[in-house]
Amino acid sequence: MISKTLFDDGSHRWIVLARDPDRKDSVIDTNEYLIVSNGEAILLDPGGTEIFPSVLRTVAKLIDLEQLKAFFASHQDPDIMSSLPLWMGLCDEAKTFMPWIWQGFIAHFGVEYVERFIPLPDEGGAVPIGTRGRTLTAVPAHYCHASGNFSVYDPHAKILFSGDIGAALLPEDETSLFVEDFDRHVGYMRGFHQRWMPSNEAKNRWVRRVRKLDVQMLCPQHGAIFQGEQVGRFLDWFEGLEVGLDGFQAGSTLA
Ligand code: FE
C-alpha cells in the first residue's frame, strides 16, 4: 500500500494511505488518512475489514501503535469503518469520533467499544488529536451522502478530508494520487455523485460551508486528491451538478 506525506511542518504531518495492491477487485478502493501531531495520531476513516492487514502494516511502519489516540468515522459505511473494532481492540485507549446518529448502528460491529465512542452533534465541533496534538474540526456534510456525515477540516494544514464528497472511481491506468487532468477526472466522479448524493440542497449547503474555509487540499475517501485551484474548480463543478432524484437515471452505475 502506498503512503505519501501531504503536509509536514516538523510537528504536524498528514499522510495518505492508498492503492492497496493486494485489494481484491470486488472490494472498492479506499484512501485512509493518518495525521500525526506532536507525537499523537488519528486515523480518518480507517477502512474496511478486508484491507485492515494492509492498512495496519503501513501504519505500523509510520508510527508506534501506542501513538494512535483516535479514529474518525465520517459515516457508517463498511468500506470506511468496518475495521474499527479491530483497531479499537489493538489501541485500547483510543477513542472514535463519529456522527451521533450512527453510534447505535456502529455498535453492531463491536459493542465492547461503545464506551470509547465520541458522538458528534449535528453541528459538528472539535476533534482533538489526543491531548498534545492539534485539534481538527468536524464540518457537517449531512446527506452527502449519509444522513449523518462529517468532513474534517484542519486549519493548520489547510486540508479538508471530504469523505465520499469528491470521490472518484478510477480506471486501472489512473494511478496518480493527485488529480492531474480535472476535465478528465470529472468523468470518473460524475455518476458517483449523481447516484450517491441524494439532495441538491444538502450538497449546496456543504459547498457554501466549505467556501468559507481556506482549503489548499481536498482529500476524498476514494479516488484522487484535489490541490490548489482544483479545490475551487471542484466546488464549482459540484455546486452545478444535479444530484439525487433530479439527476437519477435507473441503472446508472458508480462511474
Ligand atoms: Fe459511503
Side-chain angles (χ1 to χ4, degrees):
M1 178 165 237
I2 293 172
S3 65
K4 183 168 180 57
T5 297
L6 302 176
F7 175 92
D8 188 358
D9 71 355
S11 64
H12 189 78
R13 183 179 177 202
W14 273 72
I15 305 142
V16 58
L17 283 57
R19 312 288 191 269
D20 176 10
D22 301 327
R23 176 184 59 83
K24 307 274 189 306
D25 287 344
S26 50
V27 174
I28 188 170
D29 192 31
T30 57
N31 304 327
E32 290 71 43
Y33 296 90
L34 180 70
I35 309 168
V36 189
S37 186
N38 292 327
E40 298 185 315
I42 185 169
L43 187 58
L44 307 181
D45 281 4
T49 311
E50 281 294 323
I51 60 158
F52 173 73
S54 287
V55 179
L56 173 59
R57 253 194 317 270
T58 311
V59 168
K61 282 182 197 157
L62 294 163
I63 58 170
D64 289 333
L65 290 182
E66 301 89 74
Q67 290 177 264
L68 257 178
K69 303 298 182 192
F71 301 97
F72 178 86
S74 61
H75 61 296
Q76 84 298 354
D77 273 345
D79 61 323
I80 66 120
M81 54 63 62
S82 60
S83 66
L84 194 58
L86 301 171
W87 283 107
M88 293 191 81
L90 271 178
C91 305
D92 52 14
E93 292 186 1
K95 301 173 166 64
T96 297
F97 294 84
M98 65 181 68
W100 73 271
I101 199 172
W102 290 120
Q103 59 179 331
F105 294 75
I106 293 175
H108 279 270
F109 285 102
V111 77
E112 62 269 45
Y113 304 118
V114 167
E115 286 177 4
R116 289 187 276 137
F117 286 4
I118 310 284
L120 291 163
D122 283 339
E123 56 272 28
V127 178
I129 306 172
T131 54
R132 299 193 308 275
R134 291 180 182 273
T135 295
L136 311 170
T137 305
V139 178
H142 309 309
Y143 297 98
C144 294
H145 63 97
S147 46
N149 192 37
F150 288 107
S151 302
V152 175
Y153 181 59
D154 180 344
H156 182 71
K158 301 188 187 337
I159 296 177
L160 182 76
F161 169 66
S162 56
D164 275 331
I165 302 169
L169 298 167
L170 302 174
E172 294 249 315
D173 55 344
E174 290 277 355
T175 54
S176 174
L177 288 173
F178 299 95
V179 174
E180 289 179 340
D181 180 332
F182 186 89
D183 293 325
R184 190 170 71 232
H185 196 73
V186 163
Y188 305 139
M189 59 180 179
R190 184 189 292 108
F192 180 93
H193 289 78
Q194 286 175 324
R195 185 67 193 254
W196 288 102
M197 302 292 155
S199 162
N200 282 315
E201 177 55 26
K203 162 184 77 74
N204 293 338
R205 282 188 198 184
W206 181 86
V207 170
R208 287 196 291 272
R209 214 170 270 135
V210 171
R211 284 197 196 281
K212 292 181 187 150
L213 307 173
D214 181 1
V215 179
Q216 296 299 316
M217 210 177 267
L218 188 144
C219 297
Q221 223 268 323
H222 310 279
I225 293 167
F226 301 83
Q227 303 180 84
E229 56 93 27
Q230 292 173 343
V231 174
R233 286 190 77 184
F234 172 75
L235 295 175
D236 291 345
W237 171 81
F238 192 36
E239 196 166 40
L241 188 72
E242 292 282 303
V243 301
L245 270 180
D246 296 327
F248 177 69
Q249 292 170 11
S252 66
T253 54
L254 299 178

